Amino acid sequence: QNLLKIFFSDQKFIEDYKKHPAAVSMHSACVGGLLEHVNNMLNIALYLCSEYPNINRDLLLSGVILHDIGKMRELSYVNSFEYTNVGKLVGHVTMGVLMLNERLEKLPDFSQEKKMLLEHMILSHQGLPEYGASKQAMTLEAVALHLVDDLEAKLTGFQEFVDQNPVSVNGWTPRSFMFNNRELYLSNKL
């Protein structure tokens, strides 16, 4: 709670958090996309916590809120959605851990165990190294965070792709990069 208060008592952080996109393309690539992505993830995470009592609720929700904070340095939305130089060279995962540690300096009594677990969640939320993860998830909360992040991004990305691309008479979209260059199907017979 104290850590999140430090982040959200910073007015510039709040404004950036509310305005940043979650991506340049793929999903939630719009002003406010990061906040929408996190809000949807929080709803999914709350459900998981109600169904799986072994999940540390506070840790998972904190991880959801903080997992993509590095995108506020990785992405620019001023003139167009694009990667910043530091975004291309360092990436949001590493920058997220750096931003976490900057704030933790203001909490010298913060548990080193909690710090390590939050760092791990940020470092592993992308799932695999080829998708930007520094580590693969090794705690229940990190696994849950990765799955919730991937689920929300894929479902949002699917709907946005369908909304932005023509669907054939037979119900097929063009190929989608986000879905491994597969065509997507929409049944009109339901």
Side-chain angles (χ1 to χ4, degrees):
Q1 187 177 21
N2 290 335
L3 174 62
L4 292 178
K5 281 181 183 175
I6 287 175
F7 275 102
F8 289 98
S9 64
D10 178 342
Q11 202 58 39
K12 180 169 176 11
F13 178 85
I14 292 172
E15 289 305 312
D16 284 346
Y17 198 89
K18 290 190 315 190
K19 292 180 182 174
H20 259 79
V24 168
S25 61
M26 305 287 247
H27 74 92
S28 307
C30 60
V31 173
L34 177 61
L35 185 58
E36 289 177 8
H37 174 60
V38 169
N39 183 63
N40 292 341
M41 286 180 64
L42 285 169
N43 289 328
I44 298 166
L46 285 168
Y47 172 76
L48 287 180
C49 290
S50 72
E51 294 296 314
Y52 298 91
N54 289 342
I55 294 175
N56 180 315
R57 182 180 184 273
D58 290 345
L59 186 59
L60 178 57
L61 297 181
S62 297
V64 167
I65 292 166
L66 299 175
H67 81 285
D68 271 347
I69 56 175
K71 288 193 175 185
M72 294 187 295
R73 293 182 182 169
E74 179 182 50
L75 304 175
S76 173
Y77 64 92
V78 177
N79 297 318
S80 64
F81 298 147
E82 59 188 4
Y83 287 91
T84 61
N85 289 338
V86 71
K88 287 181 179 182
L89 294 171
V90 179
H92 81 277
V93 170
T94 301
M95 285 186 287
V97 171
L98 293 172
M99 291 170 73
L100 172 68
N101 285 311
E102 288 167 10
R103 299 314 198 283
L104 284 173
E105 288 177 8
K106 299 176 182 177
L107 294 171
D109 295 333
F110 195 83
S111 158
Q112 290 301 302
E113 178 80 6
K114 285 181 191 173
K115 173 184 181 283
M116 177 182 63
L117 294 173
L118 283 168
E119 287 173 330
H120 176 66
M121 292 174 78
I122 293 171
L123 291 170
S124 65
H125 80 268
Q126 292 290 108
L128 296 169
E130 54 265 35
Y131 299 128
S134 296
K135 298 294 286 182
Q136 288 186 306
M138 292 182 260
T139 67
L140 182 60
E141 294 76 18
V143 169
L145 174 63
H146 162 62
L147 294 173
V148 169
D149 184 35
D150 191 54
L151 175 66
E152 198 290 325
K154 292 273 179 19
L155 294 179
T156 297
F158 188 103
Q159 189 60 53
E160 289 175 354
F161 187 80
V162 166
D163 291 346
Q164 296 166 8
N165 289 278
V167 178
S168 74
V169 175
N170 296 328
W172 291 97
T173 69
R175 296 182 181 277
S176 167
F177 179 77
M178 182 177 197
F179 291 94
N180 300 319
N181 208 28
R182 295 188 309 261
E183 296 173 89
L184 306 176
Y185 180 68
L186 300 170
S187 175
N188 58 2
K189 297 178 178 150
L190 296 178

